[in-house]
């Protein structure tokens, strides 16, 4: 891929940074965060402002433009991609490396005395505003809100904000009605003595009302906010979506309801003024609950003394623990997903040697097989279909300029997933369609050992996910290998493929303890720049474990893999596995045979079934 | 031990909480933190205010007294001890358990509207003040500084603040002169653009000036502060200690020096006013660097705009990475310490069956053997000499009321260490002088597996210690066992046995990455309330490791055990060890034989040498 030429755009941006039409006083730096007004990770095209100004379109990154510099902060997943996509106007700031300055420290080091740093107050989360503002202020600078987004002023062909139809989910999918979710939320509000709760994250609005949308690609969400009071429900949403009779019925908009369940529908853009009105009407001691990651603009709408901010909202925490309807749905979705991948890998095995399958063709074929499955909605993220050196670009997405042909000489890494109405999938398999080298098998086996170490881990109730991260690295570390990304993220239930408040990562963040019913990914990897990438990813469900002593009745937890796709045995150096690890692989493959085999049989997919049986032959360790 | 009766004291405290002589307005709650004005972990008797008011004398705990309640927050190490030492006036708040409220949340839940919460501003760290003050304010209460310590007003027989002679350390111990340390500190100050640095932690003052003291038991420190400017050095210290000719020569107080190395000696209590004078004389942009754990009172002495606060000071970070003189000293100290423990365990083996050895006698004997070693100064902490059920009290210290006799029927746990002029030791061994049960051996072996997993861990340069914590727990977790304390702490070099900025713990804190030269403890355990305690602790040095692929030249690290004391093989169930673990034990014991054996020989301690040889016979795994 060739970098985006940004010289002219940066010139324009630097002009509007001084233009009194948009800024009260000139700003010497302008921050372009990754997110949208909901602090979403995946964003609609109209919100891809950072990609527009820099060319770098990875899912995480913050751009800062000063009069002299343009710098981009991103993490290890995107170092290579960002370097490829950005031109020489940009400096890449590799987050997580020791010598990389924070955005604040860098600003302090480059700005002239008494500078103003501008940012869109609807895009920057309040917690980040606070942190940056403090550091800048103590260095004699000022962080200032710029109401008009400066990127939008120079983005002449900016697309419209999407406003697509909604999907209603009944109890068989959600397990709990939106009314019961409101009741539970209000009881949490009473517990914390707050009168109002502001729902700002798109997946939280969707989950709360048992609605889904398609305003953002891959994430079945829709642009909306909600304000929940003890007796009122206000939903801020645009378009004619509320005229859909299914939606009206689902939300009981036309029924005679107790007033506390009556939903008032309001325009999307009216939330700041409505929130200000709420703030103005508060009696002393009446608090408004917001995520500390809500935008600075919305947070400021409530007077400081009335704010109750927490890192995770009660919706985020309730959403994380899947109920039986949701876990059963996730199981079904993963079986269908496995069927599609068995079909794909069987097809690839036949086609790759012909030299006609490119990364894009393979990705499209994966989508085709998935779309044949019941309740398929869309993909859950951009398929990472990468062969050879492209596999080392951790969040690679094939585009025509980089599109490589799969061959029997290179490792192929496929990280893909889908949204089904009953659940969200995310699976990575690394395959070789010829004969892998001893080194490739060695690395693959260390990654597998790490994957198993997490998946088979037993730990006490109350353990936070970050404590499991080094289990995934231990075998790699022993040989001096590592990977520069976390080991796992939480997965939504027909919702965002990345969600909070848990994860398995070396980065310490305020994660909540793992609980039975939570669903996370387990995806260690190893990447050799310029030659190959290896990752083995299953989605795994936290379940109670049986242990000899059960932590003095504190309770034991472990994981159950929901993903049931064979792990290529050809890539495994069996002699590097312990007996326990070898048994784990064999039992996992036995389960794939039984569960996915039955579904392949039921769907009459006999060739894929034969492939599955061949790929799940038990490993035998040489004693 | 019987609890301290606190009814009368609490009554007196509640009276002074309303007495206008001490408080401007009545306070409805009074916080009694653990520390002293230097936020020390170990404190002088005059600073043991929390123990005075509650009876609980563990090393960590915060008491809060309201008009109705008295509550004590402490961590898992002290749950049993605190419960034993406090009377029914007190509620124990078990930190780390899910349902235990934070101090702030608890205050909010019990206080009447608009309450004042008092605290001594010299004792509470600024970061803690900030956190508590914010939560209290948002709930309508106020955290207020009470200048006169309210405990001191009711503590009629409060001892004097100690003021003992100083020890000067020459280059053979410290490796770096105090002048060079000042030069290095000033270069860090230039890097961060600060003009002043305030040294508030006692061990930082001691390290910076290459001085040691004995004002606080076990910690070779002395009451002092320092303010370092770019051209001035002010040392705040009391007594006639500065008249000692060794000290005067060491600090070159009477030499003609460049002015920037001339030390001005000032009274200990004059620091707030001197700091205020510094603050008043600052030009814009001149900053003063303080630890964010410095007291609220000292932090407030500098106007907010001029403060530069960091969680770890440059002294803390420099002190953590031991130079060659220090690591060589630590090695020597640990060899001498091992000699003392070989003597002790040989003696215990003979004496315990006679039924005459109590926990206190054993602890005294350990001190006696240590004191025979060259450069012995004092113990590095109160010896934990515990048998049977006392072993389950994690930071137990035997006192006459609890003193139990060692027997051939119970496990004995000894956690002890010493200060030598060349280094600080801290070692735990768990022994059985009869025949351990299968369950005791099983638990011991899991703990040993955890100990080895950390000690033998290989990890990339830049790894933070908390990532290694779960390695120590994995074998225990597999069977549903765990321990409620961290796995390791940093150890000073003839300084505090607990120091920052690293550690190996499940608690996430802002730890700095491990570096070659850092020294930490490795001490997993298992505790069965009412029956026994097991812990295996070595002090280990971070060293470069050789790995096959060396993390793409990022560098590999591992540990070298400095502690060289046999691990009782009788307690090991060899069949639960892997071959690698078994080899680790055998190699460790081989090194004990070689290194400690040679020293025992040199000191003519032949009986202890025979004990060492007997105890370090290689383990043999049944294949």
């Amino acid at each position: 891929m060739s970098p985006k030429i940004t010289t002219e755009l940066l010139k324009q941006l630097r002009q509007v940074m001084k233009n009194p039409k948009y800024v009260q006083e000139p700003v010497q730096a302008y921050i372009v965060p990754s997110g949208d007004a909901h602090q979403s990770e995946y964003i609609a095209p109209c919100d891809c402002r950072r990609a527009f100004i820099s060319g770098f379109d990875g899912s995480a990154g913050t751009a800062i433009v000063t009069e002299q510099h343009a710098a981009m902060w991103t993490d290890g997943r995107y170092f290579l991609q960002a370097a490829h996509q950005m031109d020489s106007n940009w400096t890449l700031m590799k987050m997580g490396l020791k010598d990389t300055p924070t955005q604040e420290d860098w600003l302090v080091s480059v700005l002239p005395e008494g500078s103003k740093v501008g940012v869109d107050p609807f895009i920057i989360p309040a917690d980040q505003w606070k942190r940056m503002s403090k550091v800048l202020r103590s260095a004699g600078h000022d962080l200032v809100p710029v109401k008009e987004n400066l990127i939008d002023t120079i983005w002449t062909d900016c697309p419209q904000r999407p406003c697509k139809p909604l999907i209603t989910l009944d109890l068989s999918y959600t397990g709990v009605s939106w009314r019961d979710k409101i009741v539970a939320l209000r009881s949490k509000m009473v517990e914390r003595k707050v009168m109002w709760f502001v729902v700002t994250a798109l997946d939280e609005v969707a989950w709360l009302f048992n609605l889904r949308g398609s305003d953002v690609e891959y994430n079945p969400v829709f642009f909306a906010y909600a304000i929940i009071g003890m007796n009122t429900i206000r939903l801020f949403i645009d378009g004619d979506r509320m005229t859909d009779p299914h939606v009206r019925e689902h939300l009981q908009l036309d029924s005679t309801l107790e007033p506390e369940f009556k939903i008032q529908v309001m325009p999307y853009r009216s939330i700041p003024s409505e929130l200000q009105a709420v703030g103005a009407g508060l009696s002393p001691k009446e608090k408004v609950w917001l995520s500390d990651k809500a935008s600075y603009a919305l947070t400021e709408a409530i007077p400081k003394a009335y704010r109750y901010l927490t890192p995770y909202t009660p919706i985020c925490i309730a959403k994380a623990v899947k109920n039986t309807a949701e876990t059963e749905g996730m199981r079904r979705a993963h079986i269908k997903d496995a069927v599609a991948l068995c079909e794909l890998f069987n097809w690839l095995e036949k086609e790759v040697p012909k030299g006609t399958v490119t990364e894009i063709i393979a990705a499209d074929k994966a989508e085709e097989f998935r779309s044949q499955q019941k309740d398929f909605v869309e993909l859950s993220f951009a398929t990472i279909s990468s062969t050879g050196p492209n596999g080392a670009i951790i969040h690679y997405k094939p585009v025509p300029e980089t599109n490589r042909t799969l061959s029997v000489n290179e490792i192929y890494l496929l990280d893909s997933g889908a949204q089904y109405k009953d659940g969200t999938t995310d699976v990575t398999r690394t395959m070789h369609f010829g004969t892998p080298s001893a080194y490739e098998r060695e690395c693959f086996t260390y990654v597998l050992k790490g994957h198993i170490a997490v998946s088979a881990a037993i730990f006490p109730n109350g353990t936070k996910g970050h404590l499991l991260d080094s289990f995934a690295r231990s075998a790699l570390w022993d040989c001096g290998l590592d990977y520069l990304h976390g080991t796992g993220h939480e997965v939504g239930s027909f919702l965002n493929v990345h969600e909070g408040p848990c994860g398995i990562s070396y980065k310490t963040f305020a994660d909540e303890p793992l609980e039975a019913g939570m669903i996370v990914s387990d995806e260690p990897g190893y990447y050799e720049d310029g030659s190959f990438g290896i990752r083995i990813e299953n989605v795994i469900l936290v379940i109670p474990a049986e242990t000899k002593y059960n932590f003095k009745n504190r309770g034991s937890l472990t994981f159950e893999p929901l993903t049931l796709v064979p792990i290529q045995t050809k890539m495994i150096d069996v002699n590097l596995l312990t007996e326990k690890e070898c048994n784990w692989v064999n039992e996992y493959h036995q389960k794939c045979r039984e569960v996915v085999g039955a579904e392949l049989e039921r769907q009459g997919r006999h060739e894929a079934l034969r492939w599955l049986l061949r790929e799940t032959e038990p490993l035998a360790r040489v004693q």
Side-chain angles (χ1 to χ4, degrees), chain A residues 494-514:
Chain A
F494 184 30
L495 258 180
N496 296 357
V497 73
H498 295 162
E499 61 172 34
C502 294
I504 302 176
S505 178
Y506 61 98
K507 294 167 207 154
T508 46
F509 60 104
D511 54 341
E512 291 286 309
L514 293 171

Side-chain angles (χ1 to χ4, degrees), chain A residues 73-376:
Chain A
W73 279 257
T74 190
D75 62 63
R77 296 172 300 175
Y78 291 116
F79 292 169
L80 284 175
Q81 179 180 334
H84 284 152
Q85 293 184 323
M86 299 191 306
D87 70 9
S88 62
N89 288 303
W90 290 85
T91 307
L92 177 59
M93 297 293 191
K94 298 183 174 183
M95 289 165 70
L97 300 196
K98 208 181 162 182
D99 295 330
T100 304
T102 63
Q103 293 159 27
E104 305 87 284
D105 287 348
W106 179 81
L107 279 167
V108 170
S109 74
V110 302
L111 286 177
E113 267 184 45
S115 288
K116 306 250 175 250
V117 178
V119 68
D120 181 340
F122 278 93
I123 306 292
I124 190 167
D127 62 343
Q128 200 179 322
W129 171 284
K130 198 174 154 186
R131 200 178 60 240
M132 293 196 92
S133 161
K134 192 179 156 187
V135 177
L136 291 173
R137 200 173 334 115
S138 81
H141 309 296
D142 260 330
L143 186 62
V144 297
V146 180
K147 288 247 165 84
E148 183 117 20
N149 191 294
L150 295 186
I151 300 294
D152 293 357
T153 66
I154 61 169
W155 193 356
T156 46
D157 56 348
C158 177
Q160 285 287 306
R161 184 161 301 278
C163 193
K164 307 229 180 99
L166 302 182
I167 302 171
T168 60
L169 290 183
D170 65 30
L171 274 183
S172 69
Y173 292 106
T174 66
V176 181
S177 70
W178 65 261
R179 282 180 60 140
D180 286 346
K181 288 180 179 179
I182 296 274
V183 170
L185 173 62
R186 285 183 176 143
S187 87
K188 288 280 170 198
M189 289 161 63
V190 168
E191 222 173 71
R192 303 291 184 103
K193 297 180 187 158
V194 301
M195 298 297 289
W196 299 90
F197 179 82
V198 187
V199 197
T200 57
L202 297 183
D203 63 335
E204 297 190 13
V205 180
W207 179 87
L208 182 62
F209 292 104
N210 292 335
L211 290 170
R212 297 293 186 270
S214 54
D215 288 355
V216 178
E217 199 181 6
Y218 309 125
N219 289 177
V221 296
F222 49 93
F223 285 103
Y225 292 100
I227 303 179
I228 313 299
M230 296 311 293
N231 297 301
T232 55
I233 304 173
R234 293 180 205 163
L235 179 59
F236 299 81
I237 185 165
D238 275 353
D240 51 6
R241 303 191 270 202
M242 288 295 130
T243 59
D244 176 334
H246 293 292
V247 173
R248 294 197 75 77
E249 197 195 325
H250 175 83
L251 295 179
Q252 299 178 265
L253 293 181
D254 306 310
S255 318
T256 319
L257 274 178
E258 308 92 302
E260 67 266 33
F261 294 111
K262 195 81 198 157
I263 298 175
Q264 300 166 258
V265 179
M266 299 183 156
Y268 175 68
R269 278 175 204 287
S270 67
I271 182 148
S273 55
E274 284 298 322
L275 202 51
Q276 247 150 4
V278 163
L282 293 169
S283 322
K285 303 231 152 188
E286 287 188 354
K287 297 264 175 183
V288 179
W289 195 344
L290 286 134
S291 162
D292 66 1
K293 275 161 277 301
S295 71
Y296 175 71
L298 288 194
T299 310
E300 285 294 301
I302 301 297
K304 198 169 174 186
Y306 297 97
R307 287 176 214 155
Y308 181 75
L309 305 181
T310 58
Y312 299 111
T313 70
I315 296 185
C316 173
I317 291 168
K319 178 166 61 63
V321 183
K322 274 71 177 174
N323 60 41
T324 313
E326 290 170 322
T327 51
E328 283 311 311
M330 286 292 270
R331 268 186 239 279
R332 285 196 305 276
H334 279 83
I335 295 167
K336 293 182 286 187
D337 210 56
V339 165
L341 286 187
C342 289
E343 283 281 14
L344 175 76
F345 291 133
N346 175 53
W347 181 84
L348 284 176
E349 248 182 39
K350 289 184 301 179
E351 299 299 322
V352 167
K354 299 178 189 163
T356 53
V357 183
T358 64
E359 292 166 340
I360 293 179
I361 291 174
D364 290 347
K365 200 75 190 171
E367 182 165 3
E368 180 190 326
F369 283 123
R370 282 189 163 108
S371 68
Q372 293 164 6
Q373 295 298 316
K374 187 174 168 240
D375 276 348
F376 171 85

Side-chain angles (χ1 to χ4, degrees), chain A residues 28-57:
Chain A
Q28 283 69 45
Y30 188 66
I31 304 173
V32 187
S34 214
D36 58 15
H38 305 269
Q39 285 64 54
S40 309
E41 181 189 7
Y42 288 75
I43 52 182
C46 60
D47 288 319
C48 294
R49 301 180 180 96
R50 186 248 303 150
F52 168 77
I53 191 67
S54 70
F56 167 54
D57 66 1

Side-chain angles (χ1 to χ4, degrees), chain A residues 324-523:
Chain A
T324 313
E326 290 170 322
T327 51
E328 283 311 311
M330 286 292 270
R331 268 186 239 279
R332 285 196 305 276
H334 279 83
I335 295 167
K336 293 182 286 187
D337 210 56
V339 165
L341 286 187
C342 289
E343 283 281 14
L344 175 76
F345 291 133
N346 175 53
W347 181 84
L348 284 176
E349 248 182 39
K350 289 184 301 179
E351 299 299 322
V352 167
K354 299 178 189 163
T356 53
V357 183
T358 64
E359 292 166 340
I360 293 179
I361 291 174
D364 290 347
K365 200 75 190 171
E367 182 165 3
E368 180 190 326
F369 283 123
R370 282 189 163 108
S371 68
Q372 293 164 6
Q373 295 298 316
K374 187 174 168 240
D375 276 348
F376 171 85
V377 179
E378 61 171 336
L379 298 185
S380 57
F381 57 95
T383 298
I384 299 172
S385 170
S386 56
T387 185
N390 290 341
I393 302 171
I394 298 178
H395 271 203
Y396 173 80
K397 179 190 161 186
V399 288
E401 305 88 72
T402 62
N403 193 17
R404 205 173 163 93
T405 302
L406 277 65
S407 87
V408 294
N409 303 314
E410 286 183 348
I411 286 183
Y412 176 63
L413 183 159
L414 179 76
D415 185 350
S416 61
Q419 299 287 1
Y420 303 89
K421 269 185 82 176
D422 38 14
T424 303
T425 67
D426 180 1
V427 45
T428 309
R429 287 295 179 267
T430 304
M431 322 275 286
H432 204 294
F433 299 106
T435 306
S437 73
Y439 178 59
E440 288 167 339
R441 292 170 70 227
E442 182 188 359
C443 295
F444 183 93
T445 309
Y446 296 146
V447 173
L448 176 61
K449 287 167 82 81
H451 178 91
I452 296 171
V454 170
S455 196
I458 289 172
F459 48 93
N461 219 334
T463 301
K464 296 186 168 194
H466 69 257
L467 288 172
L468 308 180
D469 181 77
S470 46
F471 289 158
R473 297 177 200 273
S474 181
L476 286 162
W477 281 0
D478 279 346
C479 291
L481 303 176
D482 195 14
Y483 53 97
L484 288 178
H485 60 74
T487 301
H489 54 83
E490 219 174 279
V491 179
S493 179
F494 184 30
L495 258 180
N496 296 357
V497 73
H498 295 162
E499 61 172 34
C502 294
I504 302 176
S505 178
Y506 61 98
K507 294 167 207 154
T508 46
F509 60 104
D511 54 341
E512 291 286 309
L514 293 171
E515 271 183 58
M518 287 181 168
I519 293 177
V520 295
S521 71
D522 170 14
E523 46 179 318

